[in-house]
Amino acid sequence: MTKNEWKQDLEQRELEKKAYNRGYRAGTNAEGVTEALKRVELLETALLEFVGYEDEWLQT
């Protein structure tokens, strides 16, 4: 393996490592987002039950 090939291989590995880390972080962030969305849906449901389901209260 020449020096140039070794350097390209090293750069490729660094790019793959960064891509993996971005994907991992995105996955953990998405997990937090889904938990937040569940809480928002529960709050919306509670608010609708409190206010009522009439059309005059619902905004589109």
Side-chain angles (χ1 to χ4, degrees), residues 39-57:
R39 288 193 307 256
V40 168
E41 289 174 0
L42 289 173
L43 286 172
E44 287 177 352
T45 303
L47 181 62
L48 281 174
E49 289 177 1
F50 178 74
V51 172
Y53 289 94
E54 291 86 20
D55 289 335
E56 60 199 35
W57 292 98

Side-chain angles (χ1 to χ4, degrees), residues 27-46:
T28 56
N29 289 341
E31 182 179 328
V33 169
T34 56
E35 291 296 321
L37 288 175
K38 288 178 186 177
R39 288 193 307 256
V40 168
E41 289 174 0
L42 289 173
L43 286 172
E44 287 177 352
T45 303

